[in-house]
Amino acid sequence: MTAAEPMNKVTFDIARVRADFPILAEKVRGKRLAFLDSAASAQKPKQVIEAIVHTYTHEYANVHRGVHYLSERATVAYNAVRAKVQKLINARDENEIVFTSGTTDSINLVAQTFGRATLKAGDEVLVTEMEHHSNIVPWQMLRDEKGITLTVVPFRDDGSLDMDAFRAKLSEKTRLVAVTQVSNALGTINPVQDICRLAHAAGARVLVDGAQGIPHLHTDVQAMGADFYAFSGHKLYGPTGTGALWARAELLDAMPPWKGGGDMIRSVTFAHTDFAEPPHKFEAGTPNIAGVIGMGAGIDWFLSLDRDGLDAHEAELLAYGTERLAEVPGLKMIGTAAEKCAVMSFVLDCAHPHDIGTILDAEGVAVRTGHHCAQPVMEHFDIAATVRPSLGAYSCREDIDQLVVALGKVREMFG
Ligand code: PMP
């Protein structure tokens, strides 16, 4: 049986998907590459690489400002990406999409505009115990500046969010709930639709961190009911330094700008500046032109996949990986929620995660080890770090098998 023919009726053509990723053919330390670090950053299909090369080779100039041919070509290609993001997340209008450098930038934008303008001392921002640091620190900075309260909703020991605690902590003081769609450290899928409904009933806005959700879940911001949605292009098969913030049009209209500069204005005198309409009001300076075009190519590539097939493939692979890892003596999974995807964090009784990562690397297996920018998750389990294999659309059974064999070597070395 090959990875293209798993036991259930998955029709997803994994061999064809893998053929789109030149890097997967690389030998690493003389071994077949088992790339299991897509949660940190996904590899890039040739369609994305070619879009970037094409831009710099044939269509590159600064956008918006030029009347010349190349500037017009670059502007058309760049602007077309807004509609691609709109389609990806089913936003109502493409002008609800602000290009950013990634999830971190998107969340900071919300903190520094919506947060700074509307939150006052005594207001509460509710976050969860499983947030990435990028959905904690911007709110802490605002807390220290404005005297707001940061309230934390715990998760249960299996990694599922404690929704009873969420309901209990939600109050008329809650102005914003900032929650991840999927935990990068645990793989937990949070019930964001329910969270939005409950938060709205309490009069709070909701920011959903989609960094780990967008590559795996069918995301419809209107059905979800969120107010803000942030994601990174590089986790969705696009280039680094790209991403987006989606926000409801009425919120973007009301939010003050954050970064000042070129392209975000209608007119400037020394006495006064008239700002441009959203999204341009939030996009000061020369943008990451080829990067955004590459992100668009990544979205096109992703949306061209058989999504039902991909869902089945990823679910089957997560189940297979979980089952195979359970065979490794002394291995404990961190994050076993019923609703989870793509992430298989674990610790091993005989070795430190960093040592495990180094030995796996020698066997061609790329995994992330550490706290995954989610130190409160580590604190919950009283551990310093985990080993975190994670899946992308191109991951296959051979990758898991290679991981399990390499873990056998770890056991041999550390007993
Ligand atoms: N949130 C989550 C859940 C993440 O996994 C990450 C990236 N590890 C981020 C936010 C930050 O994304 P970026 O570094 O692309 O801004």
Side-chain angles (χ1 to χ4, degrees):
M1 190 164 59
T2 71
E5 299 160 341
M7 249 178 309
N8 63 12
K9 296 255 183 316
V10 175
T11 54
F12 188 64
D13 190 347
I14 184 66
R16 235 178 90 190
V17 169
R18 287 180 67 82
D20 281 342
F21 291 81
I23 208 166
L24 296 179
E26 289 288 304
K27 285 266 187 293
V28 167
R29 307 201 188 284
K31 303 276 166 53
R32 172 190 181 274
L33 168 64
F35 187 77
L36 290 168
D37 194 20
S38 298
S41 198
Q43 295 296 352
K44 316 306 168 199
K46 58 180 189 272
Q47 291 83 345
V48 168
I49 299 166
E50 283 163 9
I52 295 167
V53 171
H54 177 86
T55 300
Y56 284 126
T57 310
H58 300 291
E59 292 196 329
Y60 181 76
N62 208 335
V63 288
H64 301 321
R65 299 173 190 122
V67 292
H68 60 81
Y69 175 82
L70 286 180
S71 180
E72 276 172 16
R73 291 292 294 263
T75 303
V76 167
Y78 175 84
N79 285 342
V81 179
R82 240 182 269 278
K84 295 179 199 285
V85 176
Q86 179 194 1
K87 185 172 160 202
L88 173 74
I89 62 172
N90 193 33
R92 208 172 37 189
D93 191 304
E94 70 173 58
N95 288 324
E96 293 181 326
I97 312 296
V98 181
F99 291 135
T100 67
S101 66
T103 307
T104 304
D105 196 31
S106 299
I107 296 173
N108 276 277
L109 196 163
V110 177
Q112 292 300 322
T113 58
F114 169 83
R116 193 184 270 258
T118 66
L119 301 180
K120 52 187 188 323
D123 287 346
E124 277 185 22
V125 173
L126 220 64
V127 295
T128 82
E129 192 186 8
M130 71 177 87
E131 295 312 307
H132 187 278
H133 295 166
S134 64
N135 205 16
I136 300 174
V137 183
W139 308 114
Q140 252 171 4
M141 288 162 68
L142 211 57
R143 176 196 66 189
D144 296 345
E145 184 187 315
K146 304 202 60 154
I148 61 171
T149 308
L150 198 57
T151 305
V152 182
V153 180
F155 61 79
R156 300 194 183 88
D157 289 345
D158 67 352
S160 62
L161 192 65
D162 185 342
M163 287 299 283
D164 294 333
F166 174 70
R167 283 189 195 85
K169 285 177 188 277
L170 200 59
S171 77
E172 72 284 353
K173 288 197 201 133
T174 313
R175 305 312 317 152
L176 180 74
V177 176
V179 61
T180 195
Q181 191 179 13
V182 171
S183 157
N184 69 313
L186 301 164
T188 308
I189 301 171
N190 282 320
V192 285
Q193 198 164 350
D194 293 343
I195 289 171
C196 289
R197 190 173 37 78
L198 292 163
H200 287 163
R205 297 288 184 184
V206 182
L207 178 149
V208 175
D209 170 352
Q212 298 294 340
I214 197 84
H216 304 292
L217 306 178
H218 296 247
T219 298
D220 176 336
V221 289
Q222 296 187 67
M224 188 191 290
D227 298 293
F228 304 99
Y229 185 84
F231 75 91
S232 301
H234 72 97
K235 296 193 201 268
L236 192 66
Y237 310 101
T240 50
T242 65
L245 171 72
W246 166 84
R248 292 176 188 277
E250 59 273 24
L251 289 169
L252 287 180
D253 281 340
M255 279 153 54
W258 175 27
K259 297 171 183 166
D263 273 342
M264 50 80 75
I265 54 89
R266 208 179 279 138
S267 70
V268 176
T269 65
F270 280 110
H272 181 74
T273 293
D274 272 333
F275 299 117
E277 294 295 313
H280 308 291
K281 184 168 78 170
F282 303 103
E283 294 178 358
T286 299
N288 183 356
I289 300 160
V292 167
I293 293 168
M295 175 168 78
I299 292 169
D300 283 346
W301 179 85
F302 183 65
L303 293 181
S304 77
L305 296 177
D306 161 14
R307 287 299 296 280
D308 290 341
L310 175 63
D311 292 349
H313 172 71
E314 288 195 352
E316 190 271 341
L317 207 55
L318 180 68
Y320 179 70
T322 307
E323 198 181 292
R324 291 297 322 270
L325 287 173
E327 293 165 13
V328 178
L331 185 144
K332 182 177 171 227
M333 291 296 284
I334 302 292
T336 53
E339 296 293 323
K340 69 174 277 194
C341 66
V343 166
M344 295 173 285
S345 260
F346 66 83
V347 288
L348 206 51
D349 59 0
C350 63
H352 189 279
H354 291 311
D355 295 328
I356 297 170
T358 306
I359 295 164
L360 296 186
D361 175 57
E363 299 301 320
V365 180
V367 294
R368 179 116 325 202
T369 62
H371 55 60
H372 318 296
C373 298
Q375 281 183 327
V377 172
M378 302 299 119
E379 209 172 295
H380 180 107
F381 293 102
D382 196 20
I383 53 180
T386 72
V387 182
R388 186 193 66 180
S390 57
L391 307 173
Y394 39 69
S395 302
C396 61
R397 284 183 169 222
E398 280 92 330
D399 297 333
I400 305 282
D401 294 342
Q402 198 171 328
L403 166 69
V404 172
V405 170
L407 285 171
K409 301 212 165 157
V410 174
R411 284 229 67 100
E412 275 168 30
M413 288 176 82
F414 287 90

